[in-house]
Amino acid sequence: MTDDTEPQQFPLPAILTYPSSKTPELITQGAEGRLYKTTYLLPSVPCALKYRPPKPWRHPVLDARLTRHRILSEARVLVKCRREGVAVPAVYAVDEAAGWLALEWVAGAPVRVGVNEWLRRRRDSERAAGRGGDAVVTGDAPGDADLVALMRRIAGALGRMHKVGIVHGDLTTSNMMLRPWGEGRERPANGHAGGQGDGLLEGEIVLIDFGLAGQSTSDEDRAVDLYVLERAFASTHPRAEALFSTVLESAYREAFKQAPIVLKKLEEVRMRGRKRSMLG
Amino acid sequence: MTKPTNTGGGPLIALGCEGSANKLGIGIISHDPTTGKTAVLANIRHTFVSPPGTGFLPKDTAKHHRTFFARIALAALRAAKVTPSQLACICYTKGPGMGAPLQSVAVAARTLSLLWDRPLVGVNHCVGHIEMGREITGATNPVVLYVSGGNTQVIAYAEQRYRIFGETLDIAVGNCLDRFARTLAISNDPAPGYNIELLARKGGAVLLDLPYAVKGMDCSFSGILGAADILAAQMRAQDKILETEGPGALKEGETRITPEDLCFSLQETVYAMLVEITERAMAHVGSAQVLIVGGVGCNERLQAMMGSMAAERGGSVYATDERFCIDNGIMIAHAGLLAYETGFVTPLAESTCTQRFRTDEMLIKWRDD
């Protein structure tokens, strides 16, 4: 989520006003709430604190009900993903009455940043080689192997999440992190494809921002999840759009048993679009 | 933009006919190509009001429009002090809207076009609302919340289209309010939503529990209407108990439901939803301006809530009053004239109307930002 307005000085939630070795840092202000970087229990444990401030224009009873419901729902979804082995941030602490959720800090950069930087470098090197540099990425060139491998890892992560009965509701390349490979998180045997990316696209996919997520095993909901990502991917990385159907779909297909049916449904969702014609 | 040259360089004047729902409106607007100024010369409206407890049916509404069209058109010409020969074009609502009322106004517009030998311009009703809102408020590139009896959309402009970011998944918010007014048998004069607003101002002792249905940037109102209807039925049951058994007959701890609290709770819930989806669209496109258009946009509680949200994001809300919020002919004249100035006309053979006509189907040739 982006915002071009001036960064504003917001009052901190009470939890962040206690003495601490590190000052909390405001990371983003979305429509839903604010994300701070702080620490949890020890100064050495970084933590993401999602704070949903009260909305003064809402009736206080309604506001408290919504905040409570949404924080608990996000925490439940994250815990379920974690238990089932889907890579998501761990839930450290919840105070639904005060409106915050403390999550594990995920190191690394969003997939969007990595992909855009990769595409920029690719264009520059194409130009240096005397070509136009506007060519779309098909995935066939040897240098594209990095991006293809990344798309396969994304598809795998989505497949695992859908398999355990969670739909994300807001999939974009900003809501996926590339966490550096590390202890206990070894890169899969075929993880590194030796492309030109200089490790830009390396890392484990960690899905974040489950603020609109829900529990569902319906093929329709899963297909809509993929469709939302497809649309977001096409508008964020137009030159790599073609890779979506070729790579992501084929890798997703292998992720779980229901996947082929979901992809069939995706065709239907694409045909009707998200929007239907309605009566004036 | 290429301006038509057959007018001798003076201001262009257009007449707009609107009748997509229960308002018949005829407006006359003038655009001065040299100064870029827009002037509202006439904006006459006549509303078909159905008795309390009922809605407006297509057949009766179409009959109303047919009955009043000539009268309103003459009144508009008189108010504007304009003769038919001065008009550049006749604009009419092509859709979306209710079929029969749309048709009767389209027929009338065609008649005027043939009678006075002026070209026709078919206009998308939603684009009319947006363009008139921008003109009146001066908002340049706002996120638009379009809320009326038939539409609920969150819209933002990008690359010559008004793109729909979010919308209702079932009934429009105004439809939800209108139908709840029928449940309570509130007067439809001047508008059911206005009478709900007046009642809601007297309520607020309690917030009754209603569903809250937001999905990303979309929302849904039919479940809320159903729940509000159930509460209204409970209220009538309480009335009966109190009448037969006297005061104090309600169960211990039972909330006495009143029409005022029902209206208050309904407003608080649905407007909170509208503000939420608008805020999400603003965060998404990075805009701090909001423009509210459509009949529900007159509601002062909605305007106040939206204003508070926009202020927190460092922006502001733009809204108009009932002359321009509620369906009117001037907005059709304005949007039609903007299209006409880019060379757009609707040939007689294609001057149809349609119940379904999405906001993003229209190419906005007059904007190039």
Side-chain angles (χ1 to χ4, degrees), chain B residues 123-181:
Chain B
V123 175
N124 180 302
H125 180 88
C126 318
V127 172
H129 271 298
I130 298 170
E131 289 302 345
M132 203 63 215
R134 286 178 59 224
E135 177 62 39
I136 294 294
T137 62
T140 47
N141 190 19
V143 166
V144 182
L145 177 68
Y146 172 26
V147 275
S148 66
N151 289 279
T152 304
Q153 299 180 336
V154 183
I155 300 159
Y157 171 85
E159 288 163 36
Q160 302 208 309
R161 299 232 181 234
Y162 285 113
R163 291 171 202 274
I164 303 167
F165 279 76
E167 63 186 316
T168 177
L169 299 169
D170 41 54
I171 59 174
V173 61
N175 190 245
C176 175
L177 295 170
D178 289 353
R179 283 161 71 177
F180 188 64

Side-chain angles (χ1 to χ4, degrees), chain A residues 27-157:
Chain A
I27 306 292
T28 56
Q29 194 216 353
E32 285 295 293
R34 302 173 198 141
L35 185 74
Y36 292 92
K37 183 175 184 180
T38 177
T39 56
Y40 178 67
L41 297 181
L42 295 172
S44 58
V45 182
C47 147
L49 190 116
K50 265 187 111 160
Y51 175 52
R52 290 175 183 268
K55 309 259 187 193
W57 53 89
R58 260 193 321 230
H59 191 282
V61 173
L62 179 63
D63 190 52
R65 195 181 102 200
L66 291 174
T67 303
R68 183 187 138 82
H69 175 82
R70 288 174 180 177
I71 287 182
L72 288 178
S73 149
E74 182 167 1
R76 272 190 206 107
V77 165
L78 285 169
V79 167
K80 178 161 186 185
C81 280
R82 187 99 181 155
R83 194 171 56 219
E84 307 275 356
V86 183
V88 297
V91 177
Y92 288 161
V94 183
D95 188 338
E96 78 280 1
W100 58 260
L101 178 64
L103 304 172
E104 175 188 2
W105 182 261
V106 178
V111 168
R112 171 178 52 82
V113 173
V115 171
N116 276 342
E117 177 62 15
W118 186 91
L119 287 169
R120 193 185 63 74
R121 287 194 196 171
R122 182 177 179 276
R123 188 192 59 202
D124 291 350
S125 69
E126 290 256 302
R127 286 206 177 135
R131 290 187 292 269
D134 303 327
V136 295
V137 182
T138 58
D140 299 332
D144 294 348
D146 264 0
L147 190 56
V148 171
L150 175 73
M151 297 292 278
R152 295 193 72 85
R153 290 203 305 282
I154 293 173

Side-chain angles (χ1 to χ4, degrees), chain A residues 2-5 8 30-32 34 55 57-59 62 65-66 70 274-280, chain B residues 96 150 165 167 169 209-210 212 218 275-276 279-280 283 286 288 301 305 308-309 312-314 355 358:
Chain A
T2 54
D3 202 317
D4 66 355
T5 51
Q8 296 192 36
E32 285 295 293
R34 302 173 198 141
K55 309 259 187 193
W57 53 89
R58 260 193 321 230
H59 191 282
L62 179 63
R65 195 181 102 200
L66 291 174
R70 288 174 180 177
R274 186 168 72 96
K275 305 303 184 187
R276 71 201 167 86
S277 238
M278 65 182 221
L279 209 65
Chain B
F165 279 76
E167 63 186 316
L169 299 169
D209 213 9
L210 290 170
Y212 185 93
D218 294 332
V275 173
E276 177 172 348
E279 184 178 22
R280 200 163 284 140
R301 176 64 185 139
M305 285 167 84
S308 158
M309 180 275 284
E312 190 159 295
R313 302 193 70 82
Q355 286 166 287
R358 289 182 64 76

Side-chain angles (χ1 to χ4, degrees), chain B residues 236-252:
Chain B
R236 280 189 288 265
Q238 289 179 343
D239 290 347
K240 198 163 273 172
I241 292 171
L242 290 173
E243 200 178 304
T244 51
E245 297 172 32
L250 292 185
K251 270 179 279 176
E252 184 100 355

